[in-house]
Amino acid sequence: MNKNYLFLSLLMILLAGGLLLLPDRTNYSQIPPEDLLWDIIQPTRYVTTEQVAKMIIEQDPTLELIDVRDADAFKAFSLPNAVNIPLDSLLSPNYSDYLGIEDMNAVFYANDDMLADQAWVIAKRLNYSGIYVMKGGLNCWIKTIIQPAPPPETASLDAFDLYDFRKGASIYFTGKTITAPKSDNKSKVIVRRKKKTKATAGGC
Amino acid sequence: MNKNTKIKNGPRYINPYLGGILLGLLLLATFFIAGRGLSASGAVKLSIVTIVDKIAPSHAMANGYYSKFIPADGSSPLFNWLIFAAIGTFFGGMLSGAIFGRLKKFRIEHAPTVSSRTRIIAAIIGGILFGIGSQFGRGCSSGAALSGTASFSFGGLIVMLLMFGIGYAFAYFFRKLWI
Amino acid sequence: MGPLIPQGYITGQWEFVIALLIGAAFGFLLESSGFSSSRNIAGVFYGYNFVVLRVFFTAMIVAMVGLLYFDYLGWIDMSMVFVLPTFLAPMLLGGFIMGLGFVIGGFCPGTSYTACAIGKLDGFAFLGGFFLGVFLFSEAFPLFEKFYYSGDMGNITIGEVLHVSDRVVAFAFVVIAIAAFYVTWLIEKKVRANRTESKFE
């Protein structure tokens, strides 16, 4: 047999074998800025505190809450079943298996949007899908879920629905005793209200 | 390499491994430029679509297969990468034939065991089978088997394995055509 | 960086000029490797000439390994490279029919172009049959439209089916190809000993 063929075969095996030894390429540089901007301006990357509350109450198995504040803040107060991944250790290999789980919706949150947004952009650059930011963060959570303020009398039915949901959620999360609504004609209105699926989406 | 082949008066073909490496690099370049591999059957498909669309436009639109390939903007299906590549293939082959002295007058090549007529009939049958098979297989040996497998497509691998496998399985029955 | 056309680096008429050049290079390589002769091609099934297997597999492993290096170096965005979609049942049938056509006709479409180009009438016959076959398929399409779209697995890769990375797949192909080159070389030597002629024009 010709020696050249032996040499070529060896070269080809070495080239292909070299591929096996190369580290995986990390394609950070390949997300074009246009695409990233497009993703960032999509409102769908936000979830509201009500949506999160609803998922927690319904024990949605696809929900994965990620608290990106530091460990002290996490210990002081956080949401049930949340994982603490401080922003500065988001890239640490200890936490890498929390992200990019198939069919899981990872929701980042911090005290406000800022840290969570930063974490979201990093995760996006790592090419993870199913990542969200809880709009308004824990401040909004306190304002809307833990201590909901009743809407003004003139507000729309949706606003009252939302308030009802928030009150219910508040009871769920804080263990407050139920304070029955005062028996004025407002309660009759509540009874007649139609249930709307959209009701659990509100602003902060 | 082997210098004896030049002295012998055999056909002058390039070394198959050299041809393979060059073809592989060409395939790589095609992926790099066009984002897809080489194809030969697509051009025939588009020609058929064009012809049927010209002769019987309503029939073509009613058929779920023709209508898939008729551009919605009314332009000709022929104005397509695949068509130009196929024209190129023809002239590239002609160029190589001219350089190596194989471009001659029309002739039929067949094994001494069969007549010219048998060979032509077999070629037509083979062509028909390839025409049907390549549509089911989403490409022929270049589009599905070679380019498909080279871009790691599972379907390409299936087509390649089955094409060669069935070829071997039935080779015995058609041996008279070739040896 | 690449692929160039899907990313819009090359547009308009240049696409077709490049298509013409790539096609020409393809045709040149097919013809100069000996694919304009059906007897050379059919040799792969009878052991007297394995040129098809050599060219085909060499091209495939070079392109595979090359693509992965391009991907590693960031020269090509693999997510934009077309991966042939897999429709399991129709593709099995298609491969079966093409295998039959291959051993009966002795050409495949690409090689029949080059056979026509140098004046082989059997190449024209094959190409004519090919047109007819595509036409018959399209006319009868409504009869098996459902089957044609059945078994859709999407743009699935070999690695995804076998749960290994593309690099392992490429390495396996290289090893298998080289083993096949060696084995077929041995077979060819044996078969050719009983033949007067094994390479055709």
Side-chain angles (χ1 to χ4, degrees):
Chain A
M1 195 167 40
N2 198 314
K3 263 191 191 141
N4 287 333
Y5 289 150
L6 217 60
F7 170 74
L8 275 176
S9 309
L10 216 62
L11 182 71
M12 205 59 220
I13 288 180
L14 280 178
L15 276 172
L19 278 173
L20 296 177
L21 302 176
L22 281 176
D24 272 339
R25 182 179 161 73
T26 40
N27 293 324
Y28 305 142
S29 57
Q30 295 200 356
I31 297 182
E34 299 85 1
D35 291 4
L36 191 58
L37 178 66
W38 172 254
D39 285 333
I40 285 176
I41 59 175
Q42 293 303 305
T44 51
R45 73 186 183 93
Y46 288 110
V47 291
T48 61
T49 47
E50 285 83 15
Q51 284 170 324
V52 172
K54 198 171 176 219
M55 287 170 92
I56 296 176
I57 294 169
E58 290 172 351
Q59 302 187 330
D60 190 325
T62 65
L63 177 70
E64 187 187 14
L65 287 165
I66 296 173
D67 190 329
V68 292
R69 301 170 306 159
D70 55 40
D72 290 343
F74 178 72
K75 260 181 228 146
F77 172 74
S78 199
L79 300 182
N81 295 328
V83 187
N84 182 217
I85 308 180
L87 184 64
D88 51 12
S89 46
L90 189 64
L91 295 178
S92 124
N94 300 343
Y95 297 114
S96 61
D97 36 344
Y98 284 114
L99 286 167
I101 308 167
E102 225 176 305
D103 299 329
M104 285 294 263
N105 296 312
V107 177
F108 294 108
Y109 68 89
N111 282 337
D112 53 17
D113 285 352
M114 190 72 137
L115 282 179
D117 261 345
Q118 288 167 348
W120 184 90
V121 171
I122 299 290
K124 194 78 203 166
R125 296 275 286 189
L126 293 169
N127 248 333
Y128 291 123
S129 56
I131 47 173
Y132 301 90
V133 169
M134 186 169 84
K135 186 82 183 157
L138 285 175
N139 290 338
C140 185
W141 177 268
I142 301 283
K143 231 193 285 177
T144 58
I145 305 294
I146 307 298
Q147 295 159 350
E153 297 278 328
T154 51
S156 68
L157 292 184
D158 278 353
F160 280 102
D161 272 343
L162 185 63
Y163 177 59
D164 280 353
F165 172 78
R166 286 174 172 179
K167 264 199 309 189
S170 169
I171 292 160
Y172 178 88
F173 287 108
T174 58
K176 267 192 280 191
T177 49
I178 301 164
T179 48
K182 282 167 199 157
S183 57
D184 53 5
N185 50 0
K186 209 175 108 191
S187 64
K188 284 175 198 161
V189 180
I190 296 169
V191 175
R192 281 192 280 121
R193 261 173 222 140
K194 267 191 253 168
K195 284 283 166 225
K196 281 184 187 169
T197 45
K198 259 179 80 180
T200 51
C204 181
Chain B
M1 302 236 178
N2 196 350
K3 280 179 184 130
N4 292 335
T5 47
K6 279 182 186 165
I7 299 161
K8 270 191 221 158
N9 208 10
R12 289 197 302 156
Y13 291 124
I14 60 172
N15 181 293
Y17 298 107
L18 176 64
I21 290 169
L22 292 177
L23 189 57
L25 294 176
L26 175 70
L27 188 54
L28 189 57
T30 313
F31 276 123
F32 180 71
I33 293 170
R36 55 183 306 154
L38 300 158
S39 165
S41 55
V44 171
K45 177 180 72 192
L46 292 176
S47 311
I48 293 280
V49 169
T50 309
I51 295 167
V52 174
D53 189 35
K54 278 267 143 58
I55 296 172
S58 55
H59 173 68
M61 282 317 284
N63 181 303
Y65 201 64
Y66 294 127
S67 53
K68 250 187 6 164
F69 304 105
I70 299 172
D73 59 359
S75 62
S76 167
L78 286 183
F79 207 63
N80 189 296
W81 167 281
L82 299 172
I83 299 284
F84 285 86
I87 296 169
T89 308
F90 182 84
F91 285 106
M94 194 176 261
L95 179 69
S96 164
I99 288 175
F100 293 102
R102 286 187 288 270
L103 182 61
K104 294 177 214 157
K105 63 172 190 286
F106 290 118
R107 61 203 182 275
I108 297 169
E109 184 201 19
H110 58 88
T113 46
V114 291
S115 65
S116 293
R117 208 171 135 242
T118 318
R119 167 66 193 134
I120 290 293
I121 292 169
I124 292 173
I125 293 173
I128 293 174
L129 289 173
F130 243 104
I132 296 167
S134 64
Q135 303 312 304
F136 277 118
R138 270 72 174 172
C140 61
S141 27
S142 13
L146 180 60
S147 307
T149 315
S151 58
F152 302 97
S153 156
F154 180 61
L157 178 68
I158 291 176
V159 171
M160 181 187 80
L161 289 181
L162 220 68
M163 207 168 77
F164 280 109
I166 293 299
Y168 278 108
F170 285 88
Y172 178 80
F173 303 105
F174 299 107
R175 66 189 183 286
K176 288 273 155 56
L177 287 173
W178 304 108
I179 50 173
Chain C
M1 186 170 176
L4 300 181
I5 288 175
Q7 306 222 48
Y9 286 107
I10 299 170
T11 49
Q13 317 301 323
W14 280 107
E15 262 186 52
F16 299 123
V17 175
I18 290 168
L20 211 58
L21 291 176
I22 285 178
F26 185 43
F28 190 95
L29 288 172
L30 287 181
E31 208 288 331
S32 58
S33 300
F35 287 177
S36 57
S37 160
S38 58
R39 294 182 76 193
N40 280 341
I41 296 175
V44 73
F45 296 124
Y46 300 98
Y48 61 81
N49 195 337
F50 280 103
V51 63
V52 170
L53 184 133
R54 286 178 189 137
V55 174
F56 192 96
F57 273 89
T58 311
M60 202 163 70
I61 58 176
V62 167
M64 272 180 152
V65 172
L67 264 182
L68 292 180
Y69 273 105
F70 272 38
D71 178 42
Y72 177 74
L73 296 169
W75 292 354
I76 194 166
D77 182 354
M78 284 299 274
S79 66
M80 294 178 92
V81 170
F82 175 72
V83 174
L84 193 76
T86 302
F87 297 82
L88 195 56
M91 277 178 138
L92 285 171
L93 180 72
F96 187 99
I97 298 174
M98 279 194 275
L100 265 181
F102 207 1
V103 72
I104 296 173
F107 284 121
C108 58
T111 58
S112 76
Y113 294 163
T114 63
C116 294
I118 63 162
K120 296 253 174 88
L121 287 173
D122 44 334
F124 280 101
F126 183 93
L127 194 58
F130 187 58
F131 269 90
L132 191 60
V134 175
F135 178 68
L136 289 176
F137 173 90
S138 313
E139 284 300 318
F141 184 70
L143 298 178
F144 42 71
E145 186 160 358
K146 243 183 146 173
F147 175 73
Y148 179 79
Y149 291 112
S150 65
D152 186 1
M153 296 168 76
N155 301 62
I156 195 167
T157 64
I158 303 165
E160 282 163 5
V161 174
L162 302 176
H163 298 290
V164 290
S165 78
D166 285 347
R167 292 170 176 185
V168 177
V169 174
F171 186 75
F173 266 91
V174 169
V175 172
I176 292 169
I178 289 172
F181 294 153
Y182 181 67
V183 172
T184 52
W185 176 69
L186 293 177
I187 295 173
E188 196 182 72
K189 243 188 356 184
K190 265 202 172 135
V191 176
R192 279 189 179 182
N194 305 324
R195 290 174 62 93
T196 50
E197 208 185 5
S198 297
K199 279 168 124 185
F200 304 93
E201 208 166 81

